[in-house]
Amino acid sequence: RGCNGYTATQGIAELRERLQADLNARYPGSDRAHVVTSGTSGGLMLAMLATVNPGDEVIALDPYFVSYPNLIALCGAQMVTVDTHPSFAIDLNRLADAITPRTKAILVNSPSNPSGVVIPPQTLRDLAQLAAKRRVLLISDEIYHSFSYDAPFHSPAEFNPDVLVIDGFGKSYGMTGWRMGFAHGPKRVIEEMTKLQQFTFVCAPNMAQHATLAALDFDVSNIAADYRRKRDRICAGLKGRYEFTTPGGAFYLYPKTRRGAGTAFVEEAIRNNLLLIPGKTFSRHDSHFRVSYAATDETIDRGIEILCRLADSY
């Protein structure tokens, strides 16, 4: 169809109209602007560049997605972590105590990579209200919004119109390499992100924007239900062998090692032909490891067998 050239920086008109209609329906009465980005990572990069200055602080919850420290450092800012171990629940008092005059933003991810934890709606409300009271930008990474297994998905933007949401389509529609994301929030912030995109990414891939428009008509509920079944399969297989919080979303399990460091355990797992990611990649702690169950049932079962064997022998 000839969809090979640059598009408007904000995205093609048809996709943007569809996204805006969805935002208007989800946040009635809220004047939210949006921009189509080159993946969720591209959206996060633009958000950091548009809002964070050298010397600022950005609060993130530990464990955090692997790119957060680096995105913040690229802006000359400092990441301040608020520990959520062992339950991975947010302590609002601890988070409030971490806010200083240099705090520019709070960065949250729910459902979470790596823990799979979903922040409860009441906690999201309290967090959104805290950010508003302290005049700190709350940035919500919602790439796994389609994978909330035990309750409907909620966003802190429901409780604070100034929340900046970074979202995308790669996880929901199995098109991670197509680099399709979008951001929505206050018009002033979105305008600055759009300017930055013009002189960095230019635009999201043209053909992928058209594909995303078609994908939005596809119901992913059956896919999410299948992943919930996979979640239940791996949790049942490892129950009693490892200590973990049952993930409420995404497609990761984040168990604690039975003994020793997570890095050493992962090295042993790799020697047994099982690829895991050490928790130190996502945390100040080297006590956990991340399992992805975005795999076939056969692969999951082989992983369970190896992990159970390592629990007995390592």
Side-chain angles (χ1 to χ4, degrees):
R1 290 166 50 186
C3 302
N4 301 307
Y6 299 122
T7 73
T9 296
Q10 298 91 330
I12 61 172
E14 307 97 306
L15 178 58
R16 297 193 69 244
E17 289 169 4
R18 173 63 183 272
L19 292 174
Q20 191 63 56
D22 291 346
L23 290 172
N24 293 344
R26 187 172 169 191
Y27 304 100
S30 180
D31 185 23
R32 299 189 70 77
H34 74 277
V35 58
V36 178
T37 63
S38 290
T40 303
S41 294
L44 284 166
M45 184 76 259
L46 293 173
M48 290 292 107
L49 290 171
T51 61
V52 178
N53 293 318
D56 285 343
E57 295 175 349
V58 177
I59 295 174
L61 305 175
D62 185 336
Y64 41 78
F65 180 55
V66 60
S67 73
Y68 292 173
N70 303 293
L71 292 174
I72 295 166
L74 280 168
C75 298
Q78 178 182 354
M79 186 174 82
V80 175
T81 57
V82 173
D83 200 346
T84 64
H85 291 73
S87 67
F88 308 125
I90 300 176
D91 184 331
L92 265 297
N93 291 325
R94 181 182 292 182
L95 195 152
D97 289 343
I99 298 174
T100 75
R102 295 171 61 190
T103 304
K104 181 63 69 69
I106 301 169
L107 182 54
V108 296
N109 174 215
S110 176
S112 164
N113 179 2
S115 69
V117 164
V118 175
I119 302 174
Q122 185 57 53
T123 304
L124 287 175
R125 180 190 297 272
D126 293 343
L127 178 60
Q129 292 175 348
L130 173 65
K133 180 180 178 181
R134 301 292 291 272
R135 298 181 62 82
V136 172
L137 177 66
L138 180 58
I139 303 174
S140 181
D141 179 351
E142 301 180 2
I143 184 61
Y144 296 100
H145 72 268
S146 295
F147 301 94
S148 183
Y149 302 127
D150 304 317
F153 174 78
H154 287 279
S155 169
E158 298 170 24
F159 313 111
N160 176 352
D162 290 330
V163 170
L164 175 63
V165 173
I166 310 296
D167 207 335
F169 312 96
K171 309 295 184 183
S172 300
Y173 301 107
M175 44 192 253
T176 51
W178 295 36
R179 311 317 301 140
M180 283 299 303
F182 77 114
H184 59 90
K187 183 178 180 181
R188 178 76 174 115
V189 177
I190 296 299
E191 285 177 343
E192 296 306 312
M193 291 174 62
T194 302
K195 290 179 189 177
L196 286 164
Q197 177 155 273
Q198 175 64 59
F199 300 110
T200 53
F201 301 99
V202 181
C203 62
N206 187 336
M207 70 294 293
Q209 292 189 53
H210 288 273
T212 299
L213 181 62
L216 290 173
D217 290 325
F218 183 78
D219 183 2
V220 300
S221 59
N222 287 337
I223 296 174
D226 191 44
Y227 274 89
R228 177 178 179 173
R229 182 186 58 78
K230 292 177 186 291
R231 186 270 313 260
D232 294 343
R233 188 185 196 98
I234 194 167
C235 287
L238 299 181
K239 186 178 180 180
R241 300 297 189 101
Y242 293 90
E243 178 184 334
F244 58 83
T245 298
T246 300
F251 32 77
Y252 307 107
L253 187 68
Y254 198 60
K256 186 177 181 181
T257 54
R258 289 172 61 89
R259 62 189 69 86
T263 302
F265 180 84
V266 167
E267 290 171 353
E268 181 65 19
I270 290 173
R271 284 192 286 270
N272 284 267
N273 297 314
L274 177 63
L275 180 60
L276 307 170
I277 306 296
K280 192 175 181 181
T281 305
F282 312 97
S283 173
R284 310 296 190 193
H285 300 269
D286 192 9
S287 55
H288 290 67
F289 59 93
R290 193 195 73 173
V291 178
S292 170
Y293 52 88
T296 64
D297 289 353
E298 178 186 22
T299 299
I300 291 172
D301 289 342
R302 285 195 295 114
I304 291 171
E305 186 276 325
I306 294 171
L307 285 171
C308 288
R309 177 156 41 87
L310 289 175
D312 295 332
S313 63
Y314 179 76

